[in-house]
Amino acid sequence: AFSASASNDWLSLRKRTILSVWPDGGGALPSDAVPASVTPNYRDFADVTQLVWNISCSKFSLNSTVYHSARTVGERTDDIIIHHHGHAKACDKTLPESRCDSNRSWYDFYNVTDYYHRELGADVAFHYMPLFGPNEQQGFPVSHTFFEPYQQAGVATLRFFLEPVIRTINWATKQGYKRVIMIGKSGGGWTTTLIAALDARVALSFPIAGSISLNFFHISWDFEQQPREANETWYLHESS
């Protein structure tokens, strides 16, 4: 049986991790629920709204783009699905499962919008890794090694990977959604695992090909996932 002591340990680890990702937050998740911009009817898709989050820090400016698709225009479902594309930069025509087309592939790399709407009866918000896909920014490399020197300088860089999702959950609950479900592939699966561990509002999570034990042999780590020798918890600040 899961003991109260074990539960307290997990809650303590959650708070410590939150405090490390957001050192100035006092152990609480970000509460911002107002995007920097909201553009409905995006690219003439009546069901698509573009949300842009400003996740800048004192060292550089950075935005994160989210595309929200409503099952029925002008209405809201009870559930919202957060779909995280991970490291995908665009719809990959070499993958049969991507089913690329010229209609929605610019934001939905796997063409799952209709499935979420019709089969699951849910609205969906599509997310992407920082600096990848819709989050590419002029003057920035399409690489997460960009964050390495800032991490070394004391900037809590995991924030740039997690905060856009937390803010979208804040926005969604303000809109009246009753249940949050999250799914992600690869880097999106990794993000899904972390978000579900840190935010109890995520009722269901489905990480696909995302996180594995750091003890497993693996060679395709990105900056944010890569273990550091003799410092596997490098993302946890000593002060936390």
Side-chain angles (χ1 to χ4, degrees), residues 3 26 38 59 83 89 165 175 199 207 240:
S3 68
V38 178
K59 304 293 185 181
H83 179 113
K89 301 180 181 70
V165 180
Q175 297 298 310
D199 195 331
S240 61

Side-chain angles (χ1 to χ4, degrees), residues 123-138:
D123 295 347
V124 56
F126 289 93
H127 278 255
Y128 317 85
M129 282 287 198
L131 306 181
F132 283 61
N135 288 329
E136 290 186 22
Q137 293 189 206
Q138 187 174 3

